[in-house]
């Protein structure tokens, strides 16, 4: 049974940092695309950052680029998201996602992913 379990969310003041982690289990993930998505209240889910199936490329949304850093072990059983310089607009539930058939052009499309975690809340305040 595939499980993606996120941790590390919490409340932080604007300008602060948090580190999210996702533990993946239940099968081999080395050939999966692994990504972080987020969903704020009243908004659609959006792509944050992710790694390609081959592991050769890491992608970021423009809104987090230069502030967030995606990392993963080689087996992609642990993926992390280091979030620095957090802004109020980063407040959301953050989800870890895994997809076997996610091609590069679809990495930002949540529909392409097979498995999702339960999410972890990140709240940024003044």
């Amino acid at each position: 049974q595939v499980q993606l379990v996120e941790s590390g969310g919490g409340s932080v003041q604007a300008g602060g940092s948090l580190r999210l982690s996702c533990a993946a289990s239940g099968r081999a993930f080395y050939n999966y695309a692994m990504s972080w998505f987020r969903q704020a209240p009243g908004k659609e889910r959006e792509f944050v950052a992710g790694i390609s199936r081959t592991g050769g490329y890491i992608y970021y949304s423009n809104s987090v680029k230069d502030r967030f850093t995606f990392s993963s072990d080689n087996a992609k059983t642990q993926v992390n998201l280091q979030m620095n310089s957090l802004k109020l607009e980063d407040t959301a539930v953050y989800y870890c996602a895994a997809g076997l058939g996610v091609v590069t052009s679809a990495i930002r499309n949540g529909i392409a992913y097979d498995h999702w975690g339960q999410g972890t809340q990140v709240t940024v305040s003044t």
Side-chain angles (χ1 to χ4, degrees):
Q1 180 181 357
V2 173
Q3 277 195 313
L4 302 177
V5 180
E6 302 99 335
S7 61
S11 298
V12 64
Q13 288 189 325
S17 299
L18 282 174
R19 182 179 176 87
L20 304 183
S21 294
C22 173
S25 62
R27 64 179 57 187
F29 289 93
Y30 67 93
N31 58 344
Y32 275 64
M34 302 288 290
S35 292
W36 289 95
F37 288 78
R38 67 186 182 187
Q39 187 166 21
K43 295 188 176 181
E44 292 188 354
R45 180 179 59 197
E46 65 172 347
F47 172 82
V48 177
I51 190 168
S52 63
R53 287 186 302 173
T54 64
Y57 297 94
I58 294 175
Y59 301 87
Y60 296 94
S61 69
N62 288 335
S63 61
V64 307
K65 193 176 181 180
D66 299 328
R67 297 189 298 122
F68 290 10
T69 302
F70 182 102
S71 64
S72 170
D73 63 3
N74 288 337
K76 298 180 190 169
T77 56
Q78 179 87 15
V79 297
N80 306 301
L81 187 68
Q82 177 66 41
M83 306 186 296
N84 298 330
S85 302
L86 282 161
K87 303 177 180 180
L88 298 179
E89 52 264 40
D90 294 319
T91 294
V93 178
Y94 284 71
Y95 297 92
C96 177
L100 179 60
V102 180
V103 297
T104 299
S105 60
I107 197 167
R108 292 176 172 81
N109 188 347
I111 295 176
Y113 290 78
D114 308 303
H115 308 287
W116 293 82
Q118 82 288 349
T120 185
Q121 176 71 46
V122 172
T123 302
V124 184
S125 60
T126 57

